[in-house]
Amino acid sequence: MLHTRCARVVSLVFNGSSLINRRLPPGRMSALERVISNNQAAEELLRSLQEEFKALKNEKAIRRIEELKVENDALRKQVEAARQKLIALETKNGKKQIPVPGQKDAVDVSPVVVKVEKVEQPAAPQKAEGKPQKEKKPKKEKPAAEGKAAAAPAGGAPAAEEPPIDVGRLDMRVGKIVEVSRHPDADALYLEKIDVGEPNPRTIISGLVRFVPIEEMQNRMVVVLCNLKPAKMRGILSEGMVMCASTPEKVEVLAPPAGSVPGDLVHVEGYPRVPDAVMNPKKKIFETVAPDLHTDGQLVACYKEGAFVVPGKGQVLSQTLKNVAVK
């Protein structure tokens, strides 16, 4: 039917063209009459085309509705088969079925009988003269003394001990500055986007404007402390800290070893790496560790006597600052 109507539309187009050209012989009509005649023929042709296209559109919609009805019937059968299978499994396992109002299929709703044995209560002990003794109240347990370890949880597994507060609790990683600009509301701060091996770069704010030119910050490899609690600095959230060797007069960005890539983990020799997801500010973990972060006489960044290293690639270094604080 659809092909027949399409052929009809094409036929109307060709016939209409002939009608326009042959309405009146060119030699027997004026130019104005030809224009009027052709205009009328064109309007008739347009009306015929509009009717044909409308019929085609209706036929296509009706056919699509029929296709959707067939698909819906198939889906309904699949859903009903799955429902019946679920009911059978639940009934087999003794699960009580409750009928839904208006549901056609009957469902077995026979109650599940549970046998409960009666437990006899022991008689209250009596005194010699036959009077029952007063029931003693259970003693209240005293709360555990403050500072003592909590009782082990049910199942006998002891509570996990918190690691000691040292540099192993710091999540330091190699990062690459992929974008840097001046903070819009603070002249002394850089606003950086740093790739630390995560799906998206982190936004980190650093007070390095006075010490490092902006062109030296772009695409620079750095060491980032990643598990500080994010904090706003002049209205923008900072998600970490760039580690630097520092004196009051000079600051140098620590340099990862050659061959490092964003996301490489920075370890400290002699201290197992067990970083918190986010350091709790109330525990003052970084404040406890910070006094022992420094560079040694060979420019190596250290915690106490342990060097910062990227395993298999080398040590983390400052450029020129020896025996100064790292922060």
Side-chain angles (χ1 to χ4, degrees):
M1 185 64 179
L2 186 60
H3 294 294
T4 304
R5 289 194 178 275
C6 289
R8 169 68 177 157
V9 171
V10 174
S11 175
L12 281 172
V13 172
F14 283 108
N15 292 339
S17 299
S18 300
L19 181 62
I20 291 172
N21 293 328
R22 294 185 298 173
R23 185 78 176 208
L24 288 174
R28 297 177 61 186
M29 63 168 48
S30 67
L32 180 58
E33 289 174 339
R34 285 200 300 274
V35 170
I36 294 172
S37 176
N38 289 344
N39 184 53
Q40 291 174 349
E43 288 179 353
E44 292 176 6
L45 176 61
L46 284 174
R47 280 195 296 271
S48 298
L49 288 173
Q50 287 173 350
E51 291 176 0
E52 291 295 329
F53 278 122
K54 185 176 180 180
L56 286 172
K57 185 176 180 181
N58 290 338
E59 285 185 9
K60 186 175 181 181
I62 292 170
R63 188 172 63 179
R64 181 57 181 158
I65 289 171
E66 294 299 325
E67 291 175 355
L68 290 175
K69 285 182 179 179
V70 173
E71 292 177 7
N72 286 342
D73 289 340
L75 289 172
R76 192 177 293 110
K77 290 178 182 178
Q78 293 177 10
V79 171
E80 181 61 23
R83 187 178 72 86
Q84 293 296 338
K85 185 176 181 180
L86 177 61
I87 290 173
L89 289 172
E90 289 183 341
T91 304
K92 182 178 179 181
N93 292 322
K95 186 173 180 65
K96 183 178 178 181
Q97 300 293 313
I98 300 174
V100 178
Q103 182 174 324
K104 294 181 180 179
D105 298 332
V107 180
D108 183 13
V109 292
S110 56
V112 179
V113 179
V114 180
K115 188 176 181 181
V116 181
E117 295 182 358
K118 186 177 180 181
V119 180
E120 294 183 357
Q121 299 291 337
Q126 297 183 350
K127 290 185 179 180
E129 56 268 20
K131 293 183 180 180
Q133 293 181 349
K134 292 184 179 180
E135 186 177 340
K136 293 184 179 181
K137 295 182 179 180
K139 294 182 180 180
K140 293 183 179 180
E141 294 183 0
K142 295 181 179 180
E146 187 176 354
K148 290 186 178 180
E161 292 185 5
E162 184 174 342
I165 296 180
D166 58 33
V167 74
R169 303 281 289 273
L170 275 55
D171 182 10
M172 293 187 290
R173 306 182 213 165
V174 173
K176 181 179 181 180
I177 301 175
V178 295
E179 183 181 329
V180 60
S181 61
R182 300 284 286 272
H183 193 296
D185 297 320
D187 294 338
L189 301 178
Y190 282 133
L191 178 62
E192 304 140 359
K193 297 288 186 181
I194 303 182
D195 178 7
V196 292
E198 296 171 334
N200 297 308
R202 291 195 180 205
T203 298
I204 295 178
I205 297 173
S206 305
L208 296 172
V209 172
R210 290 176 47 233
F211 304 102
V212 185
I214 192 168
E215 57 270 14
E216 293 183 14
M217 294 291 290
Q218 184 68 40
N219 296 320
R220 184 170 190 153
M221 302 298 290
V222 294
V223 174
V224 179
L225 178 57
C226 293
N227 61 341
L228 286 174
K229 184 177 180 180
K232 282 191 175 182
M233 298 181 69
R234 295 293 184 92
I236 298 178
L237 194 68
S238 180
E239 303 172 294
M241 182 171 68
V242 176
M243 303 297 288
C244 301
S246 176
T247 69
E249 298 79 23
K250 189 174 183 179
V251 175
E252 293 179 350
V253 178
L254 293 182
S260 298
V261 296
D264 280 349
L265 303 180
V266 177
H267 293 246
V268 177
E269 294 174 339
Y271 296 90
R273 195 177 191 279
V274 286
D276 296 37
V278 177
M279 289 187 288
N280 186 344
K282 294 181 179 180
K283 294 183 180 181
K284 298 190 178 300
I285 296 172
F286 182 72
E287 291 81 355
T288 302
V289 171
D292 293 310
L293 298 175
H294 62 94
T295 59
D296 65 11
Q298 284 74 45
L299 304 175
V300 179
C302 300
Y303 171 73
K304 297 183 179 179
E305 303 302 322
F308 287 24
V309 296
V310 176
K313 296 180 181 178
Q315 298 175 326
V316 175
L317 305 173
S318 64
Q319 284 78 58
T320 64
L321 292 176
K322 300 179 181 180
N323 301 313
V324 302
V326 167
K327 56 185 178 181

